[in-house]
Amino acid sequence: MAMSDLVQSSKSGEIGILTVNNPPVNALSPGVPEGILAGVEAFGKDDGVKAIVLIGGGRTFIAGADIKEFGKMTSGQTRRGPGFNEILNTVEKSSKPVVAAIHGTAFGGGLETAMACHYRVAVADALVGQPEVKLGIIPGAAGTQRLPRLAGIQKAVEMCAGGDPVKAADALKAGILDQIVEGDLLAGAIAFAKTKIGQAPRRTRDLTDKLGTAEANAPVFAAARDAARKRARNVLAPQAAIDAVEAATKLPFDQGIAREAELFQKCLFSDQSKSMIHVFFGEREVAKIPDIGKDIQLIPVNKVAVIGAGTMGGGIAMNFANAGIPVLIKETDQAALDRGMNTIKKNYANSVAKGRFTQAQMDERMARITPQLTYDGFDKVDMIVEAVFEGMELKKKIFGEIDKIAKPGAILASNTSTLNINEIASATKRPQFVIGTHFFSPANVMRLLELVRGAATSKEVIATCMAISKKIGKIGVLVGNCWGFVGNRMFGPYRREAQYLALEGAKVADIDKALYEWGMAMGPLATGDLAGLDVGWRIRKELALAGKSTGEPTVEDLLCELGRYGQKTGAGWYKYEKGDRTPHPDPEVAKIIKDTAAELGVPQKTFTDSEILRRLLFSSVNEACRILEEGKAYRASDIDVMWLHGFGFPRYRGGLMYWADGIGVKEVYAQIANWHQQYGARWAPSRLLRELAESGTPFREAKPAPFN
Ligand code: 3HC
Ligand code: NAI
């Protein structure tokens, strides 16, 4: 018997079966909740049916509310009906037992639906979770009220405020699931449902034993608020989620729902949530390459080699080892190799000490990394990633060497941060297999992986590298070949302006504080100290030799000339105690800056936090427009994603271009034009920026030139 297009009903003996079919993830789009309700009501009236199973068709149970609907609600296109909670209450009130059968992901509204059922069974690899905070909202269909009743306060707070998924085995232990089904899920769920026939359904709303006492709960809530403040600095939703769970301990169920609804609405209409929803879709959009379809054949990558065990090579090797892929890592001499391997070991040991994984897991990962001084075994790997010093001659020499050794069809990748991929590829007879895989520092931590498409790079190589990015936990963003590519091209002006501000009188620590408090993971100058000031210094020296100097402020060069490379030498923009990453302002640096400013005749003034912020970020917006106008990125939202995952931009501000849209394209242009007058050529507005401002087109609608 067909119910609706989205929810089908069928029967197996005395068990009524409702199957949600709303591909790809069975989101609760309009019609799905209504279909479930109609199905439960119809089976309620059917004397032949004694119990009901709710299951997802396709790859998953229900993955949550339909996120596309949220934008329609906040823009007033649709009203949030009273609907969903009432529908779930009706399901819960059913006198016939309802069993949710879970595979894939029961997330958000999906888990909330399952918790309104009387029982839940799942396959062993299913995940359950309340990830709403990752969208800047909180569970809005009684998740904060039913979850604590099933799993207790501690677990409910962890899940609702943290948003991370929970594996089936843990969910069973916590009381969220009643059984793990081995073998066929539907058959298992039907068998389970039969055992409940004739019993009074167990309604989650009636369970109170896990709600605890005010005394016992108080420290749990306090600790959770504290942890959320640290983990999600400046973010509203985790605190609201904790408030809502707390309401479950203080208010009767229906009043608890009303409190949750208030908090949900507040979060949904916040700028933070709008930004985070923009990011959700941006992160999915970035995976779509217009001329590369899903039919492109992927190259199997089961074994990898890395050349260079320095700052980047070691982190790159760790990424593959973490994903279960064996890696060879080659160096030029034993001392460098030992140093590289020791750093890897130290990084892993740190993670074990912090409880991120076990010693046994560390040993497994270490065992996947084979250190060596030769190209032995390079003929058997599927992908080689070069991460030696930045220099065209050296890179070409290495690519010439690996071209002779690598097996046909192997991917030859360079981690270069600036150099021309086509020229590197020209050192081989197979430029179609050459690609830039530009990891961000620290390579084992930052999620951005900038993939650089050379003129000859094949679609298979690109699609494979996009897929590998996902496999090793990165977000791959495909960009065009140009000096510095996209990430560093945008980050360069941002760090450049930080240096100009210092020269103009802003204190080093104040510049960093303004950006940090606004939400960046670190300030620009502290970031320089972390990454190593010598990286840019070497690049500037190469450029000067080639007659292409950018004429940037010289403070960082002066610091490097004094051996102040940043954290690794114990001093850079700040000074550092041994073994401690805390930056301490250094009067010596203040003096260098002051003397340099005096020498250059730069007038001194003070700056507000907002002036600091705009000076830095507007310079990047201008460069981002230039990148789009040259066709080196596919879309403005790719740029947002890059800032989030490469530079620690706060997710709740949506990314560089999204944030700039919040200010307005006309205002951004006017300010940049003004600084152009004041500071000269480095602030020349890009053509695209001017055009957008003239036509009042937001950055997110900017049409980039054809990708090249
Ligand atoms: N609503 C609308 N579309 C969704 C969606 C959702 N909840 N979840 C996923 N999609 C879409 C994606 O946009 C993507 O579309 P595309 O192919 O057009 O780009 C497609 O489904 C596949 O998604 P992924 O590429 O992410 O596929 P994966 O297999 O990698 O991951 C997933 C699947 C784990 C379900 C992941 O998509 C996910 O985490 N989704 C979000 C889940 C979520 O946040 N749920 C809570 C929503 S809020 C809520 O429920 C409020 C409630 O309390 C009232
Ligand atoms: P690094 O100086 O820390 O490491 C380079 C390593 O390569 C050294 O250990 C060196 O001994 C080794 N090496 C040199 N020639 C070799 C050869 N023929 N065979 C094997 N090993 C060889 O440099 P880092 O910082 O790791 O940079 C590597 C590459 O990554 C460069 O292209 C750089 O531009 C790029 N990059 C650097 C980032 C950073 O923040 N450090 C960020 C992103 C990219």
Side-chain angles (χ1 to χ4, degrees):
M1 146 181 74
M3 290 291 314
S4 77
D5 288 347
L6 298 169
V7 182
Q8 280 91 41
S9 85
S10 58
K11 280 197 233 177
S12 168
E14 293 182 317
I15 308 298
I17 302 161
L18 295 173
T19 308
V20 180
N21 274 309
N22 184 25
V25 298
N26 291 330
L28 292 158
S29 317
V32 174
E34 293 76 8
I36 294 172
L37 176 68
V40 169
E41 285 182 333
F43 284 139
K45 291 183 198 132
D46 183 339
D47 291 341
V49 169
K50 304 282 189 250
I52 301 165
V53 167
L54 174 66
I55 193 166
R59 68 198 234 206
T60 183
F61 189 71
I62 299 162
D66 186 336
I67 300 170
K68 289 191 285 297
E69 294 296 311
F70 292 142
K72 296 183 196 159
M73 286 179 205
T74 50
S75 64
Q77 279 169 270
T78 54
R79 294 191 140 271
R80 186 178 140 78
F84 191 42
N85 265 323
E86 281 164 31
I87 289 175
L88 292 185
N89 288 342
T90 309
V91 170
E92 191 174 47
K93 277 186 200 130
S94 158
S95 57
K96 296 177 185 175
V98 185
V99 179
I102 300 170
H103 72 299
T105 47
F107 280 175
L111 179 57
E112 290 170 310
T113 303
M115 292 192 296
C117 297
H118 306 121
Y119 307 97
R120 287 147 297 280
V121 302
V123 291
D125 63 357
L127 296 172
V128 303
Q130 299 285 172
E132 287 87 345
V133 287
K134 298 193 174 174
L135 299 169
I137 53 174
I138 66 165
T144 61
Q145 307 302 299
R146 287 197 177 94
L147 190 55
R149 286 171 161 81
L150 290 175
I153 302 304
Q154 176 82 43
K155 190 78 182 167
V157 158
E158 235 172 75
M159 287 174 67
C160 294
D164 291 332
V166 171
K167 293 187 178 133
D170 289 343
L172 178 72
K173 213 156 64 190
I176 302 166
L177 297 177
D178 298 291
Q179 196 180 84
I180 306 266
V181 171
E182 306 292 340
D184 184 66
L185 174 62
L186 181 60
I190 290 172
F192 182 92
K194 282 183 182 160
T195 68
K196 300 297 173 191
I197 289 175
Q199 293 182 21
R202 185 194 56 183
R203 299 192 169 101
T204 309
R205 66 162 61 217
D206 298 334
L207 308 175
T208 50
D209 9 325
K210 287 195 176 174
L211 290 179
T213 61
E215 286 90 353
N217 290 334
V220 177
F221 289 121
R225 288 194 172 97
D226 212 34
R229 254 191 300 276
K230 291 199 185 102
R231 197 186 46 238
R233 200 159 43 90
N234 303 350
V235 194
L236 304 171
Q239 301 294 337
I242 298 167
D243 291 349
V245 175
E246 192 169 27
T249 66
K250 296 193 166 153
L251 301 172
F253 187 79
D254 289 317
Q255 284 178 35
I257 291 192
R259 176 74 183 126
E260 181 195 78
E262 260 171 47
L263 291 161
F264 175 86
Q265 289 286 319
K266 206 170 112 196
C267 289
L268 181 65
F269 281 82
S270 69
D271 288 340
Q272 291 195 352
S273 166
K274 288 174 195 158
S275 307
M276 287 159 99
I277 288 172
H278 163 77
V279 171
F280 176 85
F281 288 112
E283 284 174 344
R284 275 140 192 94
E285 208 51 30
V286 80
K288 293 171 192 150
I289 316 296
D291 63 331
I292 301 184
K294 287 205 167 113
D295 53 324
I296 294 288
Q297 191 91 38
L298 299 185
I299 301 165
V301 175
N302 300 314
K303 202 158 191 222
V304 171
V306 175
I307 310 178
T311 313
M312 296 306 287
I316 295 170
M318 288 172 77
N319 289 323
F320 289 106
N322 295 347
I325 301 172
V327 212
L328 310 176
I329 184 159
K330 176 191 177 288
E331 257 296 343
T332 42
D333 63 71
Q334 194 61 44
L337 190 59
D338 291 345
R339 216 170 27 243
M341 287 305 287
N342 279 336
T343 306
I344 293 176
K345 211 161 149 186
K346 214 168 70 202
N347 284 337
Y348 275 141
N350 263 341
S351 297
V352 173
K354 286 187 183 146
R356 291 206 189 109
F357 44 80
T358 63
Q359 182 64 43
Q361 281 169 316
M362 162 170 168
D363 296 344
E364 266 172 34
R365 291 170 195 211
M366 282 301 292
R368 288 191 196 113
I369 305 177
T370 310
Q372 57 189 57
L373 296 173
T374 66
Y375 281 126
D376 276 0
F378 272 54
D379 53 338
K380 298 200 178 57
V381 301
D382 308 301
M383 176 169 182
I384 300 174
V385 185
E386 166 278 310
V388 303
F389 304 126
E390 186 80 338
M392 185 53 93
E393 285 322 304
L394 177 61
K395 305 253 182 206
K396 280 172 89 169
K397 176 175 158 290
I398 301 230
F399 272 74
E401 286 167 8
I402 57 178
D403 186 33
K404 293 196 184 76
I405 302 164
K407 69 180 185 188
I411 298 171
L412 309 183
S414 174
N415 190 52
T416 175
S417 27
T418 51
L419 301 171
N420 186 331
I421 284 296
N422 295 336
E423 193 176 340
I424 295 176
S426 74
T428 74
K429 293 195 187 64
R430 39 175 143 179
Q432 69 277 27
F433 288 99
V434 176
I435 187 167
T437 51
H438 180 214
F439 288 83
F440 281 66
S441 183
N444 55 316
V445 178
M446 299 310 286
R447 291 194 67 207
L448 176 61
L449 178 49
E450 186 175 46
L451 300 173
V452 186
R453 185 175 195 163
T457 313
S458 77
K459 292 182 179 178
E460 287 76 10
V461 167
I462 293 168
T464 303
C465 287
M466 291 299 288
I468 291 172
S469 307
K470 198 166 179 184
K471 183 157 185 191
I472 63 174
K474 305 287 175 196
I475 305 243
V477 181
L478 189 65
V479 303
N481 183 35
C482 54
W483 194 87
F485 314 125
V486 170
N488 284 342
R489 254 183 84 173
M490 295 186 296
F491 205 56
Y494 168 85
R495 295 204 65 257
R496 176 198 73 200
E497 287 308 313
Q499 296 193 53
Y500 276 114
L501 281 171
L503 277 180
E504 288 170 41
K507 289 203 179 72
V508 169
D510 288 350
I511 297 170
D512 281 344
K513 190 165 133 280
L515 273 293
Y516 176 80
E517 286 185 351
W518 178 79
M520 293 293 286
M522 279 179 105
L525 302 172
T527 303
D529 275 359
L530 174 69
L533 304 179
D534 54 319
V535 181
W537 183 46
R538 279 182 223 286
I539 292 171
R540 285 192 295 278
K541 282 204 284 197
E542 277 237 351
L543 285 173
L545 282 177
K548 294 187 207 154
S549 175
T550 52
E552 282 184 25
T554 52
V555 178
E556 248 170 45
D557 294 341
L558 293 176
L559 294 175
C560 286
E561 278 157 25
L562 293 170
R564 302 182 68 118
Y565 293 174
Q567 286 188 19
K568 60 184 162 189
T569 57
W573 283 99
Y574 298 90
K575 59 183 172 191
Y576 301 87
E577 308 290 339
K578 211 171 163 32
D580 184 2
R581 291 172 178 277
T582 317
H584 299 283
D586 189 345
E588 199 186 318
V589 174
K591 180 165 183 327
I592 295 172
I593 296 170
K594 212 166 152 222
D595 291 350
T596 311
E599 207 176 295
L600 298 172
V602 181
Q604 301 292 290
K605 51 185 168 184
T606 54
F607 296 88
T608 64
D609 286 356
S610 159
E611 281 166 339
I612 294 174
L613 183 77
R614 288 184 174 208
R615 267 286 285 278
L616 268 57
L617 288 176
F618 281 10
S619 71
S620 301
V621 172
N622 196 23
E623 190 62 28
C625 287
R626 212 166 271 133
I627 284 162
L628 290 170
E629 135 196 338
E630 290 171 18
K632 298 298 177 191
Y634 283 102
R635 28 184 118 70
S637 63
D638 286 9
I639 283 168
D640 289 336
V641 170
M642 294 185 84
W643 275 81
L644 254 59
H645 296 291
F647 305 123
F649 195 97
R651 196 175 182 85
Y652 62 87
R653 294 197 191 270
L656 181 75
M657 303 305 261
Y658 182 88
W659 167 78
D661 265 335
I663 292 171
V665 64
K666 284 182 194 289
E667 188 174 334
V668 174
Y669 173 72
Q671 180 62 77
I672 289 178
N674 185 299
W675 282 331
H676 184 207
Q677 296 292 318
Q678 197 176 337
Y679 296 110
R682 73 178 203 265
W683 277 101
S686 67
R687 178 176 51 76
L688 181 71
L689 173 62
R690 196 191 61 239
E691 286 169 5
L692 294 175
E694 280 166 3
S695 60
T697 309
F699 292 109
R700 65 176 172 277
E701 286 170 21
K703 297 259 175 304
F707 189 89
N708 64 84

